[in-house]
Each structure stands twice: as structure tokens, then as C-alpha cells.
Amino acid sequence: MFVHQAGDARSALYFGAALAAAAQASFNLQPIESDKSTDIDPSKYAFVVLSDTLALPSIFENALVRYVRGGGNVLIAAGTSAAHHARIPIFGGYSSDTHSYARDGYATVGETDLTHPLFQSMTNQKTADDAPGANTNAGWTDLKVYEVSRVDAAQARVIVRLTDQTPLLMEKQVGEGRVLLLTSGLDNLTNDLPVQPAFVPFVDRAARYLAGSDSIGGGRLVDSFVPLRTAAGQAVNSSAGVEILDPDGHRALSLTEAAAAQSFQLSRAGFYKIRFANGRDALIGVNPDRRESNLEPIPNDLLQLWGSPTAPPATVSSASSGYVQEKNSAHGIWWYVMLLVLVAAVAESIVASHYLGTQREEA
């Protein structure tokens, strides 16, 4: 759900286009004007975006607070409305003022927390020319920021800072949920992020991060466990059931187990379809650990570590070496084959000479 002001159609256009262009797009964006959000239930949506609309109807704001504390996630873009409203809803911080960089031209990104899940996949796609450990700023190096809101970053994790140390992107844990705060806008007026190449990967990662797709879907190993419920979800609806279809398409849990199970062990390879207690669906691919197929001989030093603790080191080492040599020794069978060929040739000669001798006697 994308909540915006009545006169702001640019933000929803840019965000919706980036979401649709994402490689793993699986979301439908529903734009809603802020003054029409009174009766909206945010729990029906994977995540919520507040774009340049910090003045919300009290009923909807209270519903958002419950939504986030219960495990929902929200992205807030302060935009220009932060200049008129000191308090940032849901996030809980305050905007002291709005700083414009128009006199100096623009500000650029100075620091990026590349360990945050929003940027981890971007930093993994480095070229061969990149130095080891180089800070690529996740593609935000060319970003031009014209206006930001100065928000108190207390109890928040700063993900992106400008060159003057002003926070541009922050995250705060609120109850069981997360709130991402962009201190600028999404309308291509306070910055040019919507037209930067990094915008689509950012929206894609942010959508999957806020929706929890990265944590519940994807690939897992055989015998790993997947959590089916959260503490917040149980507080809201403790009787909600789950549904799991195993690789054969059969239900893996009984009705009693589905109503009470906290986690599930993925005991077989294949694809599992899971509907979690919070209503979200996930397709999880389960594969055996590839280390089980490693046929490389165990190193001697590792065998020595697993040897008998009471045996002398020399004895363990010699026994381990002998074991490895015995397992790795190759026995050729070519000379057996040659001996068999030789015996066959001799037998053939004997039979042939006997046949020729019988022919001469008859003549």
C-alpha cells in the first residue's frame, strides 16, 4: 500500500514503475490518498509506504502503530511535508528543520552501511576492477540530494549518510516490526534517486525486505527448520493455522499440528509450499548439503584430530596415513587381461593344429 498526498502523483508513479521493473516483482502497488485512508486496514498488505504525508488520520495512524508493533513493516519518505510537521509518525523521531542544498548545488552520499540487507546483494555484484573491500556505496555514489529533513537518529540504525554526516536513510525497530525512514522524497524533486540506476534495485530489495520474502522464501538445506509463527503474530491471533504441502503435494501437518506448530523441519529435498500463520505464502526449495557430495579424501591433519585421544600422535598419524594410502591405492587389472589373451591365443593354436593334423591323415 502506497499512501501519498492528493496532489502528489509523481512518487507513486516512480515507485510503482520501479516495483514493476524489478527482476523478482511479485507485488501489486495500491496507491491511496492520505485523506482517504481512515478505514483502511494495513494488516492486509505486505508492507506500507508513506510518501510525503506525515499528517495522517488518527484512526489510520493508530492502526499503523498496531500493525508495526505486531510485526508489520513501513517505509516512510519524509519529503517536503516534514518542514510543517515536527513529529515523524510511527518512527517516533522529530524533524528539527529542513535543510536545502540548493545554494551549494546538491549534496552527495558519503557513507553507506553495506552490511545492511538492503545493500548486501548489490555489493556482491562487483566487477574485477573493484579493489577488495572497496566501498561502492551500493550505486548511490552519483545521487544528488537537494533537500533533506534533519531527524534525530537516536535508537535508529543509520544506513546511508551524506557527506556532511546528515542521515539520509535510517531503520528503527518498533515492537516486532521495522520502520525505514528516507529523510528526503520519492518525487524526483528533493533528490534524483528515482531516475538513478540504483533506484530499481533499491525498491526491489526494500520491498522484499519489508515483506519478509527474503527470510521465509528461497533455498534451504535438508533437515533445516523454518519458523511458522512469530511472537507478535501469536499475540494477534493465537489460533491461526498453517498449511504445508510437501514435495509430493500432500499436507505435512495434521489439523492439530497446524494450529500449534511453531516450526517445521524440511526433511526431504524438493519444493515446499507454506502458508504461514500471518497469511503469507512462500515457496521454499530444499536441497541436500553439497558438502555431502565432496569426494575429496580427508586431509591427514583432520584425520589426526578425529583420531583416538589416548593414542600417541605418531601412532595416529601413521595409522591415518596408512588408511589414506590404502583407500587411495589403485590396483591395475591390465596384466590379468593380457594373461587371459595369451591363454586364449595358445588354446586357439592347439585347437587349430589338431584340426590340421586330422585333415592330413584323412587325405
Side-chain angles (χ1 to χ4, degrees), residues 154-192:
Q155 300 179 349
R157 177 181 179 179
V158 179
I159 305 172
V160 180
R161 292 182 184 270
L162 300 179
T163 51
D164 62 356
Q165 297 301 307
T166 300
L168 179 63
L169 183 62
M170 297 181 286
E171 180 184 38
K172 178 182 287 188
Q173 187 82 21
V174 179
E176 294 288 335
R178 306 184 187 95
V179 179
L180 289 176
L181 174 62
L182 180 67
T183 58
S184 192
L186 298 172
D187 52 7
N188 196 27
L189 297 177
T190 54
N191 59 73
D192 67 345

Side-chain angles (χ1 to χ4, degrees), residues 114 123 126-136:
L114 299 180
T123 56
K126 292 185 178 182
T127 62
D129 297 333
D130 290 336
N135 188 339
T136 62

